[in-house]
Amino acid sequence: MADTLTIRTAGHVTVQDLGRVGRSQHGLPVNGALDQYSARVANVLCGNDERVPLLEITALDFACTPSADILVAVTGAPARLTVNGSARSQWEPVSVRAGETLRVTDIRVGLRVYLAVLGSFDADYLQGSCAPDTVLGFGPALRAGDTLTLRTACPPLDHPYSRIPLFRLRAPAAPFTDGWTIDVTDGPDRAEFGDSASRLYDTPYTVSPQSNHIGLRLRTDTPLPRRTTGGEVLSRGVPVGAVEVPTGDELLVLHRGRGVTAGYPVLAVVTATGLAALGQVRPGQTVRFRHRTLGQAVAAHRARRTAIDALAVRVRTAFVTLRIPVPVGS
């Protein structure tokens, strides 16, 4: 029989990957891990291709037990990570023996934790991705007792006497804070807001409890930016990260589950690095927007891409040295 990973405490956990890239032209939301940076790093730390399935654990406690020895990596929001009660480090590979229970508890500051397994596990796919789509009813959340079929086992990898972790790979962990600064570039309708556009950057916004993977609702006690031009905004394609300004008393920021068309004016667009941070913002926390040029946004994205690529080289070197099997295609 195939080796499995059994869910013991589910909380709210889903099987994710990086989403349905290129499917928006067919009307499908991209979906996928909301904190793409943490998800990518988790898979890289396991020697995996960045795009393979992993677990996204949101807010609540989680526990699982493998039937074989495995190697995992846990990234994302700060949390308490234990294996059979012993504390382990996030943002580093962790060895878990068959029958041991891995727990993720006390998720704090951020909202989402990512758990990758060396070799990944089997998952169902829709249009090239295993990411859930709530509109289509695909990819329900996992429940206690569910099992995932593991693709690769890994012999135990810890010191037999001192219990000192074998890995110090210096993964570039994302910063987490109670107050978030989200980078944005000008949106297609920036000119229609005149001087009121600066209000986007002058005040903090509070994230509403009605926020989800489709979009975040943001409120403030000060006046919102307002269009200075009249006329109806026709429905059109909108990007992930669009900062929309409806006629009401809140802003909408579209995330990876957004519909591909909308009819509100778009004042700004969240950058790629800003989107990863936005995927960690909790309801009730505050965000401030920071204006960036396209050049600055591209440079920040490239810097993160370079950091991930450098980490992948360190991981591969360590795995070859320790004779850890590198998954095929990674």
Side-chain angles (χ1 to χ4, degrees), residues 31-219:
N31 284 306
L34 288 194
D35 180 354
Q36 295 262 301
Y37 178 71
S38 294
R40 290 176 188 273
V41 172
N43 265 324
V44 167
L45 283 168
C46 287
N48 295 336
D49 186 287
E50 298 175 17
R51 298 164 293 183
V52 301
L54 78 170
L55 298 182
E56 182 179 75
I57 304 161
T58 302
L60 304 177
D61 292 352
F62 169 83
C64 64
T65 302
S67 65
D69 300 332
I70 59 173
L71 191 71
V72 305
V74 176
T75 63
R80 175 171 167 76
L81 171 64
T82 62
V83 177
N84 263 20
S86 297
R88 295 289 187 266
S89 297
Q90 290 180 259
W91 301 88
E92 294 285 3
V94 173
S95 184
V96 183
R97 296 174 182 265
E100 291 185 331
T101 298
L102 179 151
R103 297 185 186 278
V104 176
T105 59
D106 189 27
I107 298 174
R108 54 195 182 276
V109 187
L111 189 60
R112 293 177 172 89
V113 168
Y114 293 88
L115 189 157
V117 181
L118 184 147
S120 191
F121 42 78
D122 291 342
D124 295 328
Y125 280 76
L126 173 68
Q127 288 292 307
S129 171
C130 67
D133 188 309
T134 56
V135 174
L136 297 179
F138 175 79
L142 299 176
R143 298 175 296 180
D146 286 349
T147 59
L148 299 169
T149 301
L150 298 168
R151 295 176 180 170
T152 306
C154 181
L157 289 163
D158 57 358
H159 196 284
Y161 302 108
S162 65
R163 313 300 293 181
I164 297 174
L166 295 180
F167 295 99
R168 287 290 185 269
L169 294 170
R170 304 186 313 280
F176 285 82
T177 176
D178 287 323
W180 298 83
T181 299
I182 305 300
D183 288 346
V184 300
T185 58
D186 287 338
D189 303 317
R190 164 64 181 82
E192 297 186 14
F193 287 84
D195 292 341
S196 78
S198 64
R199 297 174 188 171
L200 181 67
Y201 312 106
D202 294 341
T203 184
Y205 292 84
T206 302
V207 179
S208 165
Q210 283 71 47
S211 302
N212 55 26
H213 68 290
I214 296 174
L216 283 75
R217 296 178 178 271
L218 306 178
R219 294 179 177 271

Side-chain angles (χ1 to χ4, degrees), residues 276-296:
L278 209 59
Q280 291 289 356
V281 177
R282 285 175 169 265
Q285 288 186 318
T286 60
V287 301
R288 281 185 175 273
F289 293 102
R290 180 172 59 184
H291 182 266
R292 285 291 182 262
T293 65
L294 286 175
Q296 290 171 320

